[in-house]
Amino acid sequence: MLEIRDLHAKAGDKPVLKGIDLVVRPGEVHAIMGPNASGKSTLAHVLAGRDGFAVTGGSVAWKGKDLFAMTPEQRAREGIFLGFQYPVEIPGVGNTYFLKSAYNAVRKHRGEPEMDAADFLTLIKEKAKLVELSDGLLTRPVNEGFSGGEKKRNEILQMAVLDPALAILDETDSGLDIDALKIVGHGINALRNRDRAIVLITHFPRLLNYVVPDVVHVLIDGRLVKSGHRELALQLEAKGYGWLEGGK
Amino acid sequence: MADKTIENLTSQEYRWGFVTDIEAETVPKGLSEDVVRLISAKKGEPAWLLEWRLKAYRHWLTMKEPRWANVHYPPIDYQDIHYYAAPKAKPKNLDEIDPEIRRTYEKLGIPLAEQEMLAGVAVDAVFDSVSVATTFKDKLAKLGIVFCSFSDAVREHPDLVRKWLGSVVPTTDNFFATLNSAVFSDGSFCYIPKGVRCPMELSTYFRINAKDTGQFERTLIIAEEGAYVSYLEGCTAPMRDTNQLHAAVVELVALDDATVRYSTVQNWYPGDRDGKGGIFNFVTKRGRCKGRNSRISWTQVETGSAITWKYPSCILQGENSVGEFYSVALANHRQQADTGTKMIHIGKNTKSTVISKGISAGHGQNSYRGLVQILPGAENARNYSQCDSLLIGDRCGAHTFPRLDVQNPSAQVEHEASTSRIGEDQLFYCRQRGLSTEDAVNMIVSGFCRRVFKELPMEFAVESQKLLAVSLEGSVG
């Protein structure tokens, strides 16, 4: 579904990704772990198409198509979802209205009729239960005045509604207390299915106690230096990243 | 990427720039006592009104054009303007209106025909300087409401006009208002008698059609004790590559327990992307809360004009009176807007609220200029002001000039201001969820303006949102 081949990219002028190879198939959950500044967020942003990052080599195919030929909104409509490390506030724009517009943009792209406000309200209320978001937060402006935990739960709500084929969750666990982490973890697990792939990007292994990945990759200095099973995450928890950084 | 999208959004063409080809009766260019007399004579005005005009004209000769606003434009040659233009054939009723004019209104989407008026909007349409038709007049008349062109009011209700004309904006008020007093050719008049709640939104649609014509309309609205009226004003002008002057005066009077709500959607031609042509909109709007517990509320959405110079204000004279100002002003391309309000607190327990949202895009320059004045007698006066600016792109500007003058220690005055930019992160967030850049910008801008849109009557709120979207189309990134 997602095939990354020898990907090189710069953030501004600085080379950050230095040859990434990764294949993600439907239903798989991958964890990408690494120390700060190893290139984790850059990888997420390059895949989503953010400005300010230049691809300098390699290729990424999404369902057989060239990912880099698509605009960010086309990628989103084709089923790629990025859960933001720092979800953005949009003052004055209601959370439900925002998500309904996004949802209908995706439906329109698929040639489906737009959903009206009443049906959408039913849908979003149903999905909100998954991450225990109150009705009050659905009518408030997007992320405005939300706590850190509420923002992250709101990201998972958006994922649940938009139903993407691939969800890249960038440090979704950062800044969460243990209760919020459980809720978010539970939400992600509920959204696991055989058609959807999930890429968890994280610094700490603790999220992986709640969402058990099929594969764990370690990203250091722009390269995936090691891949393994869940045990690799446990090793990292015990030993840190130092023992893998020797090679650079 | 961002620049390119700004480029696209700002390149939107003006959609109302058609010219209506009808025979017009025009007074030769230039201004003199003779022209003032001629205008007055053409309108068959009584002697007192001619005297009133002449007094204003003579005073105007002693005045200088104000230059304190944060706007820049070449000198205006006041002798190079037609001060009067009217369609030649005067209609007696709706069916007699020149088909060309009706088509113009249809293009603008104004429901002029009575059968289309079920929407509940009564329109006094001002085409160039003469009010073409007034709909729903009879229905309103049954309630004792007078809603007609200014000229009709002078003929049919001279005592009311004489009593209130100039009582809020005197002939000597300022350069443009004084000029208007001398040469105003028509406008709208509205009188709501004691205890009457006007059952529908009243609306005037202004349009400048004739070339090189200054439009100087005059609006006067009086709400007697306990009366209520909501008034809508919409404006467009055809595309011309020369600048046109618009110097209107609006006076509102609210007596005891009366409420006047005045909403404007201004979409005058803004000039092309290089700043050629467009309307110079130099307007004086003021309301006087004369009675106890009276309320005057200004809501404006300003998306047009090359230059906007406009400060809808409230004189809070009656005890417990309330003044409100809600504004969205957009400056795109080379547009310049210097707008805001004055809240003058005279009476005890007077309250005012100011919510201003300025949006700058392209090379647009947007200034908020406000005065909150608490006079010594205004015990317990309250003011809350909030002025927010939104920048789109990096070639535009936002400026804020608030002034507070508090002469009574019991007053409570609050002022909040913010400036923000539509961030790359906001846009990316929206696009990552599947929204196009344009939809994202419109959504962010609408969210920014929401507090003001809430104050508009429903249809106008929807209309304003669309207008803002059109004005920004092709403009952001």
Side-chain angles (χ1 to χ4, degrees), chain A residues 97-153:
Chain A
Y97 177 75
F98 171 76
L99 194 46
K100 175 171 147 283
S101 305
Y103 182 72
N104 280 328
V106 174
R107 284 178 71 103
K108 200 173 155 195
H109 179 73
R110 292 180 185 155
E112 293 165 6
E114 294 194 1
M115 186 181 270
D116 66 29
D119 287 346
F120 188 77
L121 201 62
T122 311
L123 175 76
I124 194 172
K125 283 193 170 174
E126 183 59 39
K127 301 288 184 188
K129 286 181 197 157
L130 195 64
V131 284
E132 299 175 28
L133 265 189
S134 68
D135 287 1
L137 293 182
L138 298 181
T139 50
R140 289 237 304 262
V142 180
N143 291 322
E144 202 181 37
F146 286 33
S147 70
E150 286 167 344
K151 284 183 182 175
K152 294 300 174 74
R153 276 148 64 193

Side-chain angles (χ1 to χ4, degrees), chain B residues 35-52:
Chain B
V35 169
V36 175
R37 285 176 196 280
L38 190 63
I39 292 170
S40 187
K42 277 199 180 293
K43 305 182 74 62
E45 287 176 355
W48 68 265
L49 190 50
L50 174 61
E51 272 315 307
W52 195 84

Side-chain angles (χ1 to χ4, degrees), chain B residues 308-467:
Chain B
T308 300
W309 180 99
K310 179 182 167 188
Y311 316 91
S313 302
C314 297
I315 299 169
L316 303 169
Q317 188 180 355
E319 277 181 32
N320 308 318
S321 60
V322 176
E324 293 164 316
F325 174 75
Y326 302 99
S327 169
V328 167
L330 169 76
N332 195 357
H333 299 305
R334 302 273 171 182
Q335 278 176 278
Q336 306 173 63
D338 193 303
T339 184
T341 185
K342 286 190 274 187
M343 293 290 173
I344 314 292
H345 292 253
I346 300 172
K348 288 179 187 161
N349 303 316
T350 46
K351 269 200 284 194
S352 62
T353 303
V354 176
I355 308 284
S356 163
K357 303 281 182 176
I359 303 155
S360 312
H363 290 90
Q365 294 294 328
N366 211 326
S367 302
Y368 170 81
R369 187 181 302 278
L371 169 66
V372 174
Q373 189 170 43
I374 315 282
L375 293 174
E379 287 294 323
N380 298 314
R382 300 262 185 289
N383 163 266
Y384 174 73
S385 300
Q386 186 187 341
C387 304
D388 297 322
S389 305
L390 186 68
L391 302 171
I392 301 174
D394 52 12
R395 290 167 297 178
C396 54
H399 317 269
T400 310
F401 306 96
R403 233 182 91 204
L404 304 175
D405 175 10
V406 180
Q407 301 173 27
N408 183 311
S410 66
Q412 277 186 28
V413 176
E414 287 176 74
H415 182 92
E416 288 179 27
S418 76
T419 301
S420 54
R421 191 180 288 281
I422 287 195
E424 203 64 36
D425 54 346
Q426 278 178 330
L427 281 178
F428 179 65
Y429 190 66
C430 295
R431 295 177 74 195
Q432 211 303 306
R433 296 298 180 252
L435 300 169
S436 68
T437 304
E438 284 198 6
D439 287 347
V441 168
N442 289 336
M443 190 180 272
I444 294 165
V445 170
S446 296
F448 176 74
C449 301
R450 194 166 77 148
R451 182 69 185 82
V452 174
F453 286 165
K454 263 169 55 188
E455 300 297 328
L456 287 169
M458 191 56 151
E459 317 84 270
F460 247 36
V462 173
E463 193 55 38
S464 302
Q465 207 151 332
K466 280 191 211 150
L467 190 58

Side-chain angles (χ1 to χ4, degrees), chain B residues 168-283:
Chain B
V168 186
V169 180
T171 52
T172 51
D173 193 80
N174 71 72
F175 184 84
F176 297 112
T178 303
L179 176 62
N180 172 288
S181 301
V183 302
F184 73 91
S185 35
D186 213 330
S188 295
F189 178 85
C190 178
Y191 175 82
I192 316 290
K194 189 172 168 177
V196 172
R197 187 181 169 92
C198 185
M200 60 184 83
E201 311 272 356
L202 301 182
S203 167
T204 304
Y205 222 98
F206 292 112
R207 181 169 166 79
I208 298 179
N209 189 62
K211 204 176 170 184
D212 295 334
T213 305
Q215 179 148 337
F216 305 92
E217 82 272 359
R218 186 118 197 161
T219 299
L220 178 55
I221 299 175
I222 301 130
E224 287 276 10
E225 248 180 82
Y228 169 92
V229 63
S230 171
Y231 190 89
L232 318 177
E233 173 199 56
C235 324
T236 55
M239 254 151 85
R240 305 274 191 201
D241 55 10
T242 50
N243 297 109
Q244 282 176 286
L245 177 63
H246 176 249
V249 172
V250 176
E251 297 179 277
L252 313 180
V253 180
L255 300 180
D256 287 359
D257 303 301
T259 297
V260 180
R261 297 183 56 175
Y262 193 102
S263 312
T264 307
V265 173
Q266 186 264 111
N267 182 29
W268 297 119
Y269 179 53
D272 68 11
R273 51 185 308 139
D274 300 320
K276 197 165 182 229
I279 300 287
F280 290 170
N281 194 30
F282 300 140
V283 173

